[in-house]
Amino acid sequence: MIRRTATGPLPLTRAQTLALLLLLCTHSALLAYGAWVHSPAWDEVGHFAAGLSHWQTGQYEFYRVNPPLVRMWATLPISFAIPKITVAASAEIERPEFVAGPALIRALGPTRTQWAFAIARWFCIPFSLIGALVCFHWARQMFGTASGFIALWAWCFDPNILANAQMITPDTAAASFGVLACYSFWRYLTSPSTPLACIVGMLTGLALLTKATWVCLAVIYPLMWSLVCIPHRIRPVELSRTLRDALLSAAISLLVLNMGYRFDGSGTQVKHLDFKSHLLTSQGENRFANSLLGDVYLPLPAQFVLGIDRQKMDFESNFISYLRGEWKSGGWWYYYLYGLGVKTPVATLMLCTWATFALVRYAFRTTPGPATRHVLAALSPGVFLLCFVSAQTGFSHHLRYVLPAFPSLFLLLSLLGHRWTQRAFTSRVAVVALLTLGATESVYHYPHSLSFYNVLVGGPDNGHEHMLDSNTEWGQDLYFLREWLRENPQARPCYSVHFGILDAQDLGCPTAGWPPPGYAVDDSVDLRTIGPLPGWYAIGVTALHGDSRPDRDFLLRQGVPLCGYFRFFEPVDRVGYSILIYHLTPETVNPVRRQLGLPTVAWSQ
């Protein structure tokens, strides 16, 4: 497909090497800045506490729904300078990491918290660089150097990558190690060898240590193998070697996985595991306790298995989810497709459409053979992962769950660089222009990439009308709120309502106490004290949609306020794209109170 030397693609020229380094340095600089200016997001608080707990106690109960590699790596440089976690995991505390995390941050104080999280986040930047380099190298091997730079550019400036790679959550690392594992297996299919099978096993184990989603590699690898190998006759000796290498690779991946947990609970009998999901329990008890399967010794860490069970229980719980103004119990099968449509730059969507047609044309115009099959095998992990995650409709909260599928999207885009020098000049200009426009739309809204939405849906200003939670507001803008309040001393007292696990005061925000005026904590209150009241308010966009949730009691238990009446007012300013600033006066409040059927108020400063 491309010109090759005896060992692979032609070496990069000096100009190409400089361009590669410039893109990687730019990407790193963006992540480093975002890591400093953003306050700890919801899940980050739990991962931070869990990582420190792993180092301090050698136990892995904290945040068991995700494997420990990323959070342990992130907290490694600060693990000896942070106070010891005092909250212990117990049956009474469902998620101990979310109890220990806020307590730890209160103990550290605002300044030390900002430095600790920044250092932990900076330590995770190499994860994103690994993913960028793998996408570049894989695309370059398939289609040429121009394609490699297209994939690299797409990774470095994609708003979803930028948003998640600057945090200590595992999604970007999962995307990076997942694509690295799939690439190594693709290389094995190209030139099978036992040493390469060992590398596949090692990288598979590392992928599993980033996120349990990669258990689907047990299906992805056979799928890739069938696309490449089944169309031609397989000799018995080749099949025998493949099976031998598969067993060796599986054994190595299990070893790496167990080493990541320091063999904590490895070899536990199935009957001794405290399962919670309906799938693995019967009448509240381990369904295998009295069966032959219960006597099996699992070659997996106990907390890895229990984490998968806990995640399954979450999906079975049918949590309340939000999409386009609708709250409902459970989720939508098309949630992630919709999220990709609204949280990807418009120019990138246009490139995806173009690349899809190019893929169809490439498949039909290329003589069926190894080239076409290898391309389809390279794209299959992302397609399968997207389908696999979309099938989990117990709840729909986070587009980041499909972030490990993004490398396949970037490889698809890289097809537009195939035979770059033979393309018409207008085609090359169009590709470069669309790549530039996509990067511009993304960087224009940086560092607020977590709240990014494309211009088709009105941009980030209108994003909360479409999706919430980690797609829009995750507590990430409290440092920006702190700076806004310092620059606007007239906005006192300012009451803050946001969707996050931390109190604004814990991060140094000079906000007033809780609850704010007008917030109904129950139904037995004086109507004159609820609803809109004069004052200054910093309202997270999630609170604007709280009133429409079907289960008000659930809402209050989760601490999500009922502040939908702020939609009757125009904000005077905004902090990032997740917090709106309101200044309500008696002249603006009383007409709305009358409209809501509430008594008017007289207000004197």
Side-chain angles (χ1 to χ4, degrees):
M1 298 176 63
I2 58 176
R3 288 181 59 205
R4 294 175 179 269
T5 65
T7 58
L10 293 172
L12 293 175
T13 64
R14 180 175 298 178
Q16 291 169 344
T17 302
L18 290 175
L20 174 66
L21 293 176
L22 178 61
L23 282 174
L24 293 178
C25 289
T26 302
H27 184 64
S28 299
L30 289 173
L31 297 183
Y33 175 71
W36 173 253
V37 299
H38 283 301
S39 52
W42 188 311
D43 278 17
E44 273 193 298
V45 176
H47 282 292
F48 185 76
L52 291 171
S53 174
H54 301 334
W55 287 115
Q56 294 172 358
T57 68
Q59 303 297 313
Y60 294 89
E61 289 87 350
F62 277 41
Y63 225 121
R64 60 168 58 132
V65 295
N66 285 143
L69 175 63
V70 177
R71 55 180 176 264
M72 290 189 70
W73 174 260
T75 54
L76 174 62
I78 56 175
S79 58
F80 303 103
I82 299 295
K84 187 174 179 62
I85 300 292
T86 57
V87 176
S90 68
E92 291 74 27
I93 303 178
E94 185 70 23
R95 298 295 295 272
E97 61 272 12
F98 291 126
V99 177
L104 178 62
I105 286 174
R106 283 191 290 271
L108 289 174
T111 301
R112 290 182 67 194
T113 292
Q114 186 167 7
W115 273 107
F117 270 83
I119 292 171
R121 289 163 167 173
W122 290 336
F123 222 55
C124 291
I125 290 176
F127 290 140
S128 187
L129 299 181
I130 289 171
L133 287 170
V134 174
C135 286
F136 170 79
H137 192 63
W138 199 349
R140 182 168 176 255
Q141 281 210 315
M142 288 195 297
F143 306 121
T145 300
S147 292
F149 276 102
I150 291 174
L152 178 65
W153 182 279
W155 178 286
C156 289
F157 295 110
D158 182 86
N160 300 287
I161 296 291
L162 289 174
N164 289 278
Q166 65 187 7
M167 296 189 290
I168 60 176
T169 48
D171 305 281
T172 302
S176 296
F177 281 105
V179 70
L180 182 57
C182 291
Y183 169 70
S184 67
F185 186 70
W186 181 82
R187 286 295 305 271
Y188 173 83
L189 296 177
T190 305
S191 53
S193 69
T194 299
L196 195 51
C198 295
I199 294 175
V200 171
M202 181 187 68
L203 295 176
T204 300
L206 289 174
L208 289 170
L209 282 171
T210 59
K211 199 155 189 177
T213 305
W214 283 119
V215 295
C216 65
L217 286 173
V219 178
I220 290 175
Y221 286 163
L223 176 62
M224 295 175 68
W225 178 83
S226 63
L227 286 170
V228 172
C229 300
I230 285 182
H232 66 81
R233 171 173 284 184
I234 304 174
R235 294 179 298 174
V237 64
E238 293 177 337
L239 184 59
S240 175
R241 180 183 60 189
T242 300
L243 291 175
R244 180 199 64 201
D245 288 345
L247 291 174
L248 177 61
S249 180
I252 293 175
S253 65
L254 287 175
L255 176 62
V256 171
L257 178 62
N258 281 282
M259 289 175 63
Y261 281 85
R262 290 186 278 190
F263 296 91
D264 181 38
S266 300
T268 301
Q269 285 183 297
V270 175
K271 63 184 178 183
H272 293 146
L273 295 175
D274 184 21
F275 293 132
K276 300 293 185 181
S277 66
H278 296 314
L279 178 67
L280 300 178
T281 59
S282 177
Q283 298 180 347
E285 301 293 336
N286 186 329
R287 67 168 60 248
F288 309 108
N290 300 313
S291 67
L292 291 176
L293 190 57
D295 294 325
V296 172
Y297 292 88
L298 281 178
L300 297 166
Q303 296 304 327
F304 180 78
V305 179
L306 291 174
I308 294 175
D309 170 71
R310 181 61 174 80
Q311 188 75 78
K312 179 61 178 174
M313 186 185 76
D314 287 345
F315 281 109
E316 293 171 348
S317 300
N318 289 326
F319 292 149
I320 294 175
S321 304
Y322 174 89
L323 184 67
R324 292 192 64 190
E326 177 187 357
W327 291 98
K328 79 168 188 176
S329 179
W332 298 263
W333 67 267
Y334 55 85
Y335 180 87
Y336 301 101
L337 289 173
Y338 184 85
L340 289 172
V342 299
K343 289 186 67 66
T344 301
V346 174
T348 305
L349 293 176
M350 296 172 65
L351 285 169
C352 289
T353 304
W354 186 358
T356 301
F357 283 108
L359 175 64
V360 174
R361 185 172 63 251
Y362 173 83
F364 281 98
R365 289 188 179 181
T366 304
T367 303
T372 305
R373 296 199 297 270
H374 277 276
V375 171
L376 295 177
L379 299 178
S380 61
V383 176
F384 179 86
L385 192 65
L386 179 60
C387 295
F388 174 74
V389 176
S390 296
Q392 314 303 313
T393 56
F395 66 85
S396 299
H397 291 176
H398 313 287
L399 181 64
R400 60 190 175 87
Y401 281 177
V402 296
L403 202 70
F406 274 56
S408 293
L409 173 65
F410 302 148
L411 291 177
L412 173 64
L413 294 181
S414 74
L415 181 62
L416 297 175
H418 181 48
R419 296 182 178 176
W420 184 257
T421 57
Q422 300 176 26
R423 284 185 173 273
F425 177 75
T426 53
S427 296
R428 298 199 300 272
V429 170
V431 171
V432 172
L434 289 174
L435 286 171
T436 304
L437 286 174
T440 301
E441 185 180 2
S442 173
V443 175
Y444 177 78
H445 298 292
Y446 196 81
H448 304 293
S449 298
L450 195 67
S451 303
F452 176 87
Y453 289 83
N454 61 40
V455 295
L456 291 179
V457 295
D461 290 339
N462 199 44
H464 62 92
E465 302 290 351
H466 295 266
M467 305 176 83
L468 293 174
D469 215 293
S470 65
N471 308 300
T472 305
E473 181 190 7
W474 221 17
Q476 76 276 11
D477 285 332
L478 292 181
Y479 288 158
F480 291 98
L481 176 61
R482 182 178 65 187
E483 295 306 311
W484 188 92
L485 289 171
R486 289 173 178 172
E487 294 171 1
N488 294 271
Q490 77 282 3
R492 299 291 191 279
C494 184
Y495 294 92
S496 172
V497 176
H498 67 279
F499 184 72
I501 196 172
L502 298 174
D503 293 334
Q505 295 89 338
D506 294 339
L507 299 176
C509 286
T511 54
W514 177 265
Y519 173 63
V521 294
D522 55 50
D523 292 325
S524 58
V525 294
D526 187 341
L527 292 180
R528 291 170 296 179
T529 65
I530 67 171
L533 294 172
W536 285 91
Y537 300 88
I539 306 298
V541 293
T542 302
L544 300 180
H545 302 273
D547 292 346
S548 57
R549 283 194 174 190
D551 187 343
R552 184 178 184 277
D553 292 335
F554 171 86
L555 187 77
L556 294 175
R557 287 198 304 272
Q558 298 301 311
V560 181
L562 305 174
C563 298
Y565 53 77
F566 278 95
R567 295 171 70 89
F568 289 95
F569 304 95
E570 287 295 325
V572 297
D573 205 346
R574 66 172 58 248
V575 175
Y577 294 101
S578 71
I579 300 176
L580 305 179
I581 306 295
Y582 294 89
H583 183 209
L584 306 188
T585 63
E587 292 74 17
T588 58
V589 161
N590 281 327
V592 173
R593 292 184 65 86
R594 285 191 290 267
Q595 186 176 347
L596 295 174
L598 298 172
T600 58
V601 295
W603 192 263
S604 60
Q605 296 292 339

